[in-house]
Amino acid sequence: MSLENFNAAPREEAVATVKPALDIARWIDAIVDGRPYQSVDQLAAAAATAASPLTEAEIDGALAHHPRIGEKPQGHTAEAAHSRREQPGVDADAAAKLAAGNKAYEEKFDRVYLVRAAGRSAEEILALLQQRLGNTPEQELAVVDQQLREIAALRLAAALES
């Protein structure tokens, strides 16, 4: 869909376009109700700040749509398709390290490790994982909020530029 078509789309159609980027009703409403956008960059900027901060319950709900980093996304949803495109391929050694890191992260924070994988190598993702294991739960919640927004902005831009 073009940005022009998104700006002019009926609300239901606009919601359907935005929802795969970040499935949080309050965020979706803010993005859709913020139309019209003058550029995809303006829309991406709105994605970075809309409905801020996300609540812990909203974050946990959104994470339900994200596979563990390093694992192949299952299913045929728009979210799974996004994840397949965004996550880098990993070799067996990196996959084992990610699996161990995911386990440690989930034990500490009781949620999946989420990182904007697009544009990052497996080594960068692993380094960020190790760094984030040093965060407090409150610090990590803020980081996850930011990562969800980065992912959402990239997904919206891709959806409206294609």
Side-chain angles (χ1 to χ4, degrees):
M1 173 181 287
S2 71
L3 179 63
E4 182 178 290
N5 289 342
F6 174 72
N7 282 333
R11 181 169 179 52
E12 185 176 297
E13 188 177 338
V15 166
T17 300
V18 172
K19 188 174 182 175
L22 182 57
D23 191 3
I24 295 175
R26 193 167 59 93
W27 182 88
I28 293 167
D29 289 343
I31 296 299
V32 171
D33 294 343
R35 296 179 299 164
Y37 296 97
Q38 300 304 310
S39 67
V40 172
D41 287 342
Q42 184 186 34
L43 175 59
T49 59
S52 187
L54 301 174
T55 68
E56 187 169 1
E58 288 171 328
I59 288 171
D60 288 340
L63 289 177
H65 298 288
H66 288 271
R68 285 182 182 88
I69 195 82
E71 291 183 3
K72 297 287 183 207
Q74 302 299 312
H76 301 289
T77 65
E79 293 90 346
H82 282 303
S83 291
R84 278 190 283 280
R85 284 190 301 275
E86 295 161 353
Q87 289 196 34
V90 296
D91 61 27
D93 182 53
K97 289 177 182 174
L98 280 170
N102 282 333
K103 183 175 188 236
Y105 184 94
E106 289 174 24
E107 287 173 358
K108 180 169 183 176
F109 297 112
D110 197 31
R111 65 177 48 94
V112 298
Y113 168 60
L114 179 84
V115 65
R116 178 193 42 80
R120 291 184 168 141
S121 68
E123 293 76 21
E124 289 172 298
I125 291 168
L126 281 165
L128 287 169
L129 172 61
Q130 292 305 314
Q131 177 187 9
R132 287 172 53 187
L133 283 169
N135 286 347
T136 66
E138 295 77 21
Q139 290 169 323
E140 188 56 20
L141 202 59
V143 172
V144 175
D145 181 317
Q146 182 247 344
Q147 292 298 295
L148 280 167
R149 291 169 184 286
E150 286 184 24
I151 293 165
L154 289 171
R155 288 178 175 184
L156 280 176
L160 297 177
E161 290 176 342
S162 55

